[in-house]
Amino acid sequence: MSINYLVLVAYLVVTFLVCGIPFGKIIARARGVDIQKVGSGNIGTTNVAREIGKGAAALTLLLDAGKGALATGLALWFFPAFITGGVSVAPHGDAAGLEGLVTLAAICGHIFSPFLHFHGGKGIAVGVGTLLGFAWPVGLMELAIFLVIAVASKRVSAGSVTVAAILGPVFALIYGPNLGLDLLLELAGLVVVWAHRSNIKKLINGQEKEFSFHKRGDKPEPDDDTIGESK
């Protein structure tokens, strides 16, 4: 294995670890709440919004998306110095799969956080962040699709599952087909869909809660039956 690939593997491991930092749990704990024991038990923005409030949710969203953007943004800058032979890491380049690998590592780090016994969030914020870091038009399009569906349905999970499922095709639509990258992005999207499996079941059964913000003075609600699954 050449030094270039050793560096790539090291970068993917660091990406997994950094993106596994559970910012939602840290922010909620600073407010005196264990976010894994209230609401849905999820450490992501939606549960933080419902159980803590707007400010904490906004900070969670910013940090979760930021770690994803940092991972792919730094990869664009970092790897041209190590990959030889004129290989490009641009979205249309021959080695574009590198960004797909980084995206997959970032999303898996968040969903399977090594700091929470391999439980974590559901990957949407960090996933959109990775797209904004290396292919912002796709990130903005996915964000727009998410907002339209989430607002229309009043259910964040509906928007989340949709954008995750169509990630690869949307990327191919904008930049043209790139089999390696498209497959890696679709795999990352399917991991996010898998993380939403309990939400999908509730959507099908009409049991998914509408999105709402925590109101001052309300106590966090006890956790529901989604706790114990990968979040």
Side-chain angles (χ1 to χ4, degrees):
M1 183 179 290
S2 71
I3 184 63
N4 295 336
Y5 288 104
L6 285 173
V7 171
L8 173 60
V9 170
Y11 191 90
L12 293 175
V13 170
V14 171
T15 294
F16 179 85
L17 293 174
V18 171
C19 289
I21 298 173
F23 286 117
K25 185 176 180 70
I26 294 170
I27 292 166
R29 181 56 65 92
R31 304 290 182 91
V33 177
D34 185 346
I35 197 64
Q36 290 187 291
K37 294 183 178 180
V38 296
S40 68
N42 190 264
I43 65 168
T45 301
T46 302
N47 199 39
V48 173
R50 283 177 175 152
E51 305 301 331
I52 308 297
K54 296 179 182 178
L59 185 57
T60 300
L61 176 62
L62 178 64
L63 291 174
D64 282 347
K67 64 188 182 186
L70 180 67
T72 51
L74 283 180
L76 286 174
W77 170 83
F78 191 69
F79 282 107
F82 289 89
I83 304 298
T84 59
V87 177
S88 170
V89 293
H92 56 279
D94 294 333
L98 286 172
E99 290 98 327
L101 287 172
V102 175
T103 296
L104 183 60
I107 288 175
C108 286
H110 183 75
I111 293 175
F112 307 107
S113 172
F115 307 108
L116 298 176
H117 304 290
F118 298 99
H119 294 284
K122 295 192 176 180
I124 285 298
V126 69
V128 171
T130 61
L131 292 173
L132 293 174
F134 84 93
W136 62 265
V138 180
L140 292 180
M141 180 174 287
E142 292 274 323
L143 183 59
I145 294 171
F146 164 79
L147 289 174
V148 169
I149 295 175
V151 171
S153 66
K154 298 182 180 180
R155 280 143 180 100
V156 171
S157 57
S160 299
V161 171
T162 301
V163 299
I166 65 173
L167 177 54
V170 168
F171 196 95
L173 178 66
I174 294 180
Y175 287 105
N178 183 306
L179 183 61
L181 178 58
D182 295 340
L183 288 177
L184 284 168
L185 291 179
E186 196 58 33
L187 176 58
L190 290 176
V191 173
V192 174
V193 172
W194 176 86
H196 282 81
R197 62 196 184 281
S198 62
N199 301 90
I200 294 172
K201 182 178 180 180
K202 288 181 179 181
L203 284 169
I204 292 173
N205 294 329
Q207 298 173 339
E208 183 75 334
K209 294 180 181 179
E210 293 186 2
F211 178 77
S212 62
F213 284 107
H214 181 78
K215 296 179 181 179
R216 182 173 297 181
D218 289 348
K219 293 183 179 181
E221 297 180 0
D223 57 342
D224 63 22
D225 58 3
T226 62
I227 291 182
E229 301 175 4
S230 295
K231 308 211 173 39

